[in-house]
Amino acid sequence: MTITLRSDVSATLDADNTAGSDAKICQAARVSTLGSAAAESGEASGLINYLMRHRHGSPFEHGQLSFLVEAPIFVAREFMRHRIGWSYNETSGRYKELEPTFYTPDRWRPLVQEGKPGEYQFTQGTNEQHDVARWSHAGAYRWSWGAYQEMLDAGIAREVARNVLPVGTYTSFYATANPRALMHFLSLRTQSDEATFRSFPQQEIEAVAVDMEVAFAATFPLTYEAFVKNGRVAP
């Protein structure tokens, strides 16, 4: 049987479902003092930096970035922990026969965990360990895909047959967030020396977060600049 092994993950900005701007954030902040006249005002880096520095967060909710994410199920489940300010719709194994596409760690992916939780580090691992990881993933995937197909061929419902598929199975989902929620996500799912509070995310979700951060910086440049300048702390 043929299965596809991948190690890439991605988040692609859906431009048609992305809205807002730095100017809109400023207008939302100014409406408290200018009323409807705020709609005629423009963007101001000083105002955005002030809002970020003093953690006046609600103006940063006036915008939207939507992404199509392709990643294994275990990455999708980490996303679902981010609930406030996020919306999700995912491929359903109840309604669609899933594809035989599975995640396996590439050679760049450190394999060995050292230290205790909260303080551990990863080291690269030996060539033999990488070989074992790849063979073990591939073997488990072939068995589970065979069992899945056997049940489907026997007329068993997709929602039951999917139970044997592992969390390394690739899925696709839309993830939509406002800038405030996205900044909170980035503060937790990326590592940065510029961060006031260091985070140590799993590498696969960090790779998705990096794609999102690039899109965020391009869509809301003044907000992104203030986010980085103020220690990558979401307001």
Side-chain angles (χ1 to χ4, degrees):
M1 89 189 53
T2 300
I3 64 171
T4 300
L5 299 178
R6 292 173 55 181
S7 57
D8 61 301
V9 294
S10 65
T12 303
L13 183 69
D14 178 4
D16 291 336
N17 198 32
T18 294
S21 63
D22 291 320
K24 178 60 67 178
I25 290 170
C26 290
Q27 290 164 5
R30 292 183 178 121
V31 74
S32 61
T33 57
L34 297 181
S36 61
E40 306 302 321
S41 64
E43 65 186 34
S45 60
L47 175 56
I48 288 177
N49 190 63
Y50 173 86
L51 296 170
M52 194 78 67
R53 184 172 66 251
H54 293 280
R55 307 194 72 183
H56 294 305
S58 59
F60 296 102
E61 296 173 11
H62 293 274
Q64 175 175 292
L65 296 100
S66 188
F67 300 90
L68 178 61
V69 180
E70 293 185 83
I73 289 172
F74 70 84
V75 172
R77 295 303 158 262
E78 287 198 76
F79 261 92
M80 303 309 170
R81 298 180 66 185
H82 299 271
R83 300 178 300 278
I84 299 173
W86 285 87
S87 298
Y88 302 103
N89 282 94
E90 183 180 4
T91 298
S92 174
R94 293 186 66 195
Y95 306 121
K96 179 185 184 299
E97 181 177 337
L98 300 177
E99 301 295 329
T101 305
F102 303 96
Y103 174 83
T104 187
D106 206 345
R107 292 282 175 178
W108 60 264
R109 209 290 187 203
L111 293 181
V112 180
Q113 178 181 316
E114 299 177 348
K116 59 184 181 180
E119 298 181 5
Y120 58 74
Q121 296 181 336
F122 278 89
T123 57
Q124 189 65 30
T126 65
N127 287 334
E128 290 76 14
Q129 287 171 320
H130 280 275
D131 288 339
V132 168
R134 189 169 185 85
W135 295 335
S136 297
H137 279 75
Y141 293 149
R142 288 192 182 95
W143 182 91
S144 62
W145 184 254
Y148 176 64
Q149 288 296 306
E150 184 176 7
M151 284 190 279
L152 293 180
D153 291 343
I156 294 172
R158 288 184 291 266
E159 66 182 54
V160 176
R162 66 176 175 171
N163 294 343
V164 299
L165 295 177
V167 294
T169 307
Y170 268 76
T171 186
S172 300
F173 60 97
Y174 277 102
T176 301
N178 62 57
R180 186 183 193 183
L182 181 58
M183 285 186 281
H184 180 256
F185 174 85
L186 295 176
S187 72
L188 294 173
R189 299 301 184 179
T190 61
Q191 290 193 63
S192 175
D193 293 335
E194 298 173 297
T196 300
F197 305 102
R198 293 291 301 276
S199 187
F200 301 92
Q202 188 165 333
Q203 291 193 18
E204 288 78 9
I205 196 169
E206 183 176 20
V208 177
V210 167
D211 282 353
M212 291 181 161
E213 182 162 347
V214 171
F216 176 45
T219 309
F220 294 86
L222 296 182
T223 299
Y224 176 72
E225 180 183 359
F227 171 61
V228 173
K229 181 177 179 180
N230 287 278
R232 300 177 68 88
V233 176

